[in-house]
Amino acid sequence: MAQAARMFGPLATRAAPLVWFIVIILMTFLGLLAITFVIGRVVPIDPVLAVVGDRAPRATYEAARLAMGLDDPLVVQFFRYVGDVVQGNLGRSVSTGRPVAEDLARVFPATLEMATLGIIIGVTIGVPMGVIAAARQGSWIDQIIRVLALAGYAIPAFWLGLVGLVIFYAHFRLVGGPGRINIFMDGMVPVRTGLLLVDSLIAGDMRAFRSAFSHIILPGTILGFFSLAYIARMTRSFMLEQLGQEYITTARVKGAPERVIIWRHAFRPIRVQLITVIGLSYAGLLEGSVMIETVFSWPGIGNYLTTALLNADMNAVLGATLVIGAVFITINKGSDLLYRLLDPRARA
Amino acid sequence: MSLLHVENLRVRFPTDHGEVEVVKGLTFDLGRERLGIVGESGSGKSMTGRALMGLIAPPGRVTADRLEFDGIDLRNLPESGLRRLRGARMSMVMQDPKFSLNPVIRIGEQIGEALQFHRSMNARARKQAVLEVLEAVRINEPERVYRLFPHEVSGGMGQRVMIAMMVVLQPDLMIADEPTSALDVSVRATVLEILDDLVRRRGMGLILISHDLDMVARWCDRILVMYAGRVVEECAAEKLHEATHPYTRGLLASVPQLNETRRRLPVLDRAAIGAGT
C-alpha cells in the first residue's frame, strides 16, 4: 500500500490540476447552456406556435405545449435541455426542416476552413512584420504596418470583398467566384471532415481541390488581411515594450547579436501575450464573418445564423450560438494550456 | 598600465526644449583598480557607465576627445567591434536582478549565452564553465540553480547570478551600476564581497557607481564625486573626509552618525555648490 502511495502520490499531484481544469471547462459549458436556455425562454417567440402554426385550435395548442414539456418547472426543462444537448439533439430547424445538429455539422466546417486559412495568413505574415517593425522603428516596414492597421480599421469587409471579386474574379479571372466550389462539382466530393480542401485531397480529386482552393483563396485572404493588420499592430507594440526592458540591456552587455536580442530575449517573453491575441482573432473569425460570407455566398455559420435570426428560427439560433460559445471556450482554455507551457511564471 | 582613458566625455539628449547635456566633459583614467563614482540622482553617473559600454542609443549622442579602452578607440568603433568587447572584455552589473534577468530563460542558459557569443565550445564544456562560475559567486547548489528561472531565486542570489554572468568570460573592466541598491541590507555586504573578491583575484578594473558615500569609500581605491554632469572632486578613498569641494563636504556633513545627537541634519547649500564649480 505504502509503495502504491509512493508511486501514485506524485502522479496524483500532477493529475489534480488537470482534473480541476476539466471541471472548470465543464462548469463553463454548463454556464453557456444556462445562458442559451434563458435566451430561448425570454425571446418573444412562442415555440409552440412555431410547431402548430397560428391557426391551430386551442386544444391542439395545449396538447403540443404539454408534449413539449413546457408546463414543467423551469429547472426540469433546463436539465432536459442539457440532456438533449449532450446527446447532440438541438431540435429541428424550422427554415431548413432538418435537425439543427446536422445543419451545423455542414455549415461550421465551411467557416472553420475559411477562418483557419485567414488566421494562418494573419500569423505567418503579421507576427514577423510586427517584430521587424518594432526592431526597425520608423523604417518603411514600420510605415507599411501603420497604413495596414489603419486600413484594417477603416475598410469595411464587404467593400473589400466586392472590390476583390470585381478585380480578381470578374476582370482577371484569377480566382473562383462566390460559393465554396464550382457549381458543377458541388456535392460531388464525399464528405469526411466537411473541409472541402481536405476532403478533395482524401478523395484524390485534384480538380475539385483546385476549384475549392480558387474559391476560398480570396475570402480567406481578405479575412487574413484583417487579422494580419490586428496581429502585426499588437506584435509591434508588445515588442516595443520588451525592447525597453532592462534585460535587453543585459543581453547587449553580454555582446548578444541583434538577431538573438530580438528573437530570444524580446520575442520569447511575448509569446504568451501573442497567443491571447491570436486566439481572440481566430475565435472572431470562427464566429463567422457575416459580411464576407454574404458577399461570397459562403454557406458558413455566420450566414446560417443570420438567416435563422431573420426567420425567427430559434432552435437554429440557439444551436449556432452554442457552437460559437463552445469555440470561444475551447480557444480560451487552449491558450490557458499553452501559457503554462510557454511561461515559467504561470507554471507554479 | 592604464585600462581606460576618458577625456572630455559628453553625453547629450535632444528634448523639446533643446539639447540637454547630462555628462559635461568627464575626464579620468582607470587602471586595474577600483574606482568609485558617487553622486546624487541625475548627476550623470549611470549615463557615464552606459556611455563607456556604448549603450547610449540614438537620439542620445556621445562625444569625447579621447575614449580608449586598452588602446582601442571606442569612439568610432562599429557595433560589431563593440559587440566583440562587450561581455568578453568589458561588462556591467545592473541595479535590480528582478528586471535585468530575462524572466523566461533558465539561469544556466542566460549565463551560458555569454560563452556562446564569444567562444566556440561545445554544450558540455559550456555547462561546466557555467557551473564553475556559479560556484565562484558562492552558490551552493550550482546544478539546481542552473535549471531555475530568475523568479525562483531571491534578490541576493539573482544579483550573484548577474555577477556570474558578467565575469564568466573574465573581462578586464567591470562596471557595477548601483549593484546593491535593490537588495536587502542583509545581503549587500555579501554581494559586494563576492564582487570585490572576483575583481581583485582576476585583476579587473572596477567602476563602482553608487549614491552611497560610505559604501564607495569602503570598497574602492579612488573616488570621483559627480555633480550635475561634472566631476567636482577626485580623491583617494581614505582621504574622502579631507575633501574640499562644498558639494562633497555638504554630502559628508549630512551623513548621520550613530553616536551623536543632533536636532536636524544639515542639507545641501546648492547656491554655495554652484559657486564652487
Side-chain angles (χ1 to χ4, degrees):
Chain A
M1 274 308 277
Q3 201 181 357
R6 222 175 304 139
M7 275 176 70
F8 292 111
L11 195 68
T13 41
R14 200 166 299 172
L18 191 70
V19 172
W20 188 232
F21 190 72
I22 291 169
V23 169
I24 287 178
I25 291 184
L26 291 178
M27 296 299 285
T28 319
F29 267 104
L30 206 63
L32 173 65
L33 284 173
I35 291 171
T36 50
F37 176 77
V38 170
I39 294 174
R41 300 299 126 165
V42 296
V43 287
I45 294 170
D46 190 334
V48 183
L49 274 188
V51 173
V52 298
D54 48 7
R55 286 194 209 153
R58 193 82 205 151
T60 319
Y61 180 90
E62 281 305 322
R65 207 169 93 86
L66 280 180
M68 289 166 82
L70 288 173
D71 59 339
D72 290 336
L74 270 185
V75 181
V76 174
Q77 289 188 42
F78 174 64
F79 281 104
R80 193 183 303 128
Y81 170 65
V82 171
D84 279 349
V85 170
V86 168
Q87 288 169 46
N89 177 13
L90 299 173
R92 198 170 275 276
S93 159
V94 184
S95 39
T96 64
R98 281 186 295 253
V100 170
E102 220 172 81
D103 281 347
L104 287 172
R106 189 167 37 81
V107 297
F108 184 65
T111 295
L112 179 67
E113 195 170 27
M114 190 157 78
T116 305
L117 180 66
I119 200 72
I120 288 174
I121 292 174
V123 171
T124 53
I125 302 178
V127 170
M129 262 181 111
V131 170
I132 295 169
R136 294 176 212 285
Q137 232 186 318
S139 67
W140 58 272
I141 195 152
D142 195 16
Q143 304 298 338
I144 287 181
I145 292 209
R146 198 164 303 165
V147 174
L148 275 184
L150 192 67
Y153 269 125
I155 300 178
F158 70 87
W159 182 84
L160 207 57
L162 286 173
V163 170
L165 276 176
V166 167
I167 297 176
F168 296 107
Y169 170 61
H171 191 77
F172 288 115
R173 301 247 152 228
L174 278 174
V175 300
R180 292 182 79 186
I181 197 164
N182 186 314
I183 46 166
F184 298 112
M185 296 184 208
D186 203 5
M188 305 285 278
V189 180
V191 177
R192 292 268 169 72
T193 59
L195 307 169
L196 262 181
L197 290 176
V198 178
D199 285 349
S200 58
L201 279 184
I202 291 176
D205 187 345
M206 285 318 286
R207 235 163 53 87
F209 178 80
R210 269 196 301 276
S211 173
F213 184 77
S214 81
H215 278 79
I216 201 174
I217 190 71
L218 185 56
T221 306
I222 290 172
L223 286 185
F225 163 75
F226 285 105
S227 82
L228 178 161
Y230 174 61
I231 290 173
R233 199 167 46 86
M234 295 309 281
T235 308
R236 177 180 179 274
S237 75
F238 292 155
M239 281 297 284
L240 282 180
E241 192 199 325
Q242 283 298 313
L243 289 172
Q245 296 287 334
E246 193 74 346
Y247 46 80
I248 298 299
T249 309
T250 306
R252 290 227 156 83
V253 167
K254 277 191 279 186
E258 207 54 29
R259 174 181 45 82
V260 174
I261 289 176
I262 287 166
W263 290 104
R264 190 189 290 167
H265 288 273
F267 186 71
R268 263 205 222 177
I270 71 163
R271 288 181 305 184
V272 171
Q273 290 164 287
L274 273 186
I275 284 168
T276 316
V277 164
I278 292 167
L280 278 177
S281 182
Y282 191 37
L285 294 183
L286 281 174
E287 209 176 313
S289 163
V290 178
M291 293 291 181
I292 290 291
E293 288 185 1
T294 307
V295 169
F296 287 91
S297 306
W298 199 262
I301 197 162
N303 232 337
Y304 181 74
L305 184 56
T306 323
T307 316
L309 270 171
L310 294 176
N311 293 327
D313 185 355
M314 272 327 278
N315 282 341
V317 171
L318 291 183
T321 310
L322 208 57
V323 168
I324 291 168
V327 162
F328 266 91
I329 293 174
T330 312
I331 287 183
N332 239 312
K333 294 298 163 190
S335 25
D336 270 6
L337 277 183
L338 277 176
Y339 274 20
R340 278 172 221 210
L341 217 64
L342 292 180
D343 190 344
R345 286 164 297 184
R347 255 173 247 163
Chain B
M1 176 209 140
S2 177
L3 197 57
L4 196 62
H5 271 298
V6 181
E7 253 179 66
N8 195 22
L9 176 73
R10 288 170 190 275
V11 180
R12 302 189 191 92
F13 287 94
T15 67
D16 293 343
H17 324 285
E19 216 169 37
V20 170
E21 201 165 52
V22 293
V23 178
K24 300 167 180 160
L26 199 70
T27 300
F28 70 93
D29 266 351
L30 179 80
R32 294 187 184 269
E33 59 178 330
R34 300 168 304 165
L35 175 73
I37 300 184
V38 277
E40 59 190 28
S41 311
S43 60
K45 53 193 194 314
S46 285
M47 279 301 159
T48 303
R50 289 185 184 222
L52 295 175
M53 295 287 303
L55 290 171
I56 307 282
R61 284 199 308 133
V62 179
T63 58
D65 292 344
R66 232 177 132 187
L67 188 58
E68 273 173 23
F69 169 74
D70 201 19
I72 305 164
D73 189 348
L74 296 178
R75 284 174 307 172
N76 299 312
L77 204 60
E79 189 60 27
S80 61
L82 268 175
R83 212 181 290 143
R84 265 195 294 278
L85 289 181
R86 285 188 202 134
R89 302 207 53 204
M90 51 206 276
S91 63
M92 182 160 92
V93 171
M94 279 164 295
Q95 185 170 343
D96 193 341
K98 251 204 311 295
F99 302 114
S100 53
L101 295 174
N102 193 310
V104 300
I105 303 180
R106 285 177 203 279
I107 283 170
E109 194 190 336
Q110 286 195 60
I111 300 176
E113 255 192 336
L115 295 161
Q116 210 180 334
F117 301 146
H118 297 284
R119 303 265 192 281
S120 55
M121 58 200 316
N122 62 34
R124 190 186 300 176
R126 198 157 60 218
K127 178 165 183 186
Q128 196 50 46
V130 172
L131 293 177
E132 273 164 25
V133 78
L134 279 173
E135 227 160 313
V137 295
R138 300 185 206 163
I139 282 173
N140 291 329
E141 304 166 274
E143 281 279 0
R144 187 178 67 88
V145 175
Y146 186 93
R147 289 189 310 270
L148 295 180
F149 286 98
H151 71 277
E152 295 170 314
V153 302
S154 66
M157 195 186 273
Q159 200 61 315
R160 281 186 276 160
V161 165
M162 185 77 191
I163 292 172
M165 193 184 300
M166 292 307 165
V167 299
V168 66
L169 283 161
Q170 318 232 359
D172 300 294
L173 170 65
M174 162 83 94
I175 299 170
D177 188 356
E178 303 268 12
T180 56
S181 308
L183 304 182
D184 284 346
V185 179
S186 55
V187 297
R188 285 185 184 178
T190 322
V191 167
L192 282 169
E193 223 171 85
I194 291 168
L195 188 63
D196 187 64
D197 182 49
L198 287 168
V199 165
R200 284 164 183 256
R201 201 133 40 96
R202 303 190 178 183
M204 296 181 222
L206 171 74
I207 297 179
L208 181 60
I209 297 172
S210 174
H211 59 268
D212 185 338
L213 277 173
D214 283 341
M215 187 185 106
V216 170
R218 158 130 204 254
W219 297 99
C220 294
D221 306 313
R222 206 152 55 88
I223 294 175
L224 298 182
V225 181
M226 281 186 79
Y227 179 69
R230 289 192 178 84
V231 172
V232 293
E233 182 106 43
E234 181 174 356
C235 63
E238 63 270 19
K239 299 243 169 74
L240 185 65
H241 58 276
E242 296 166 21
T244 52
H245 191 273
Y247 176 66
T248 321
R249 294 244 48 99
L251 282 183
L252 287 171
S254 42
V255 177
Q257 304 296 321
L258 258 184
N259 52 357
E260 65 168 357
T261 39
R262 274 196 276 190
R263 292 206 67 84
R264 311 181 67 152
L265 280 173
V267 292
L268 285 171
D269 179 2
R270 299 208 178 243
I273 300 164
T277 42

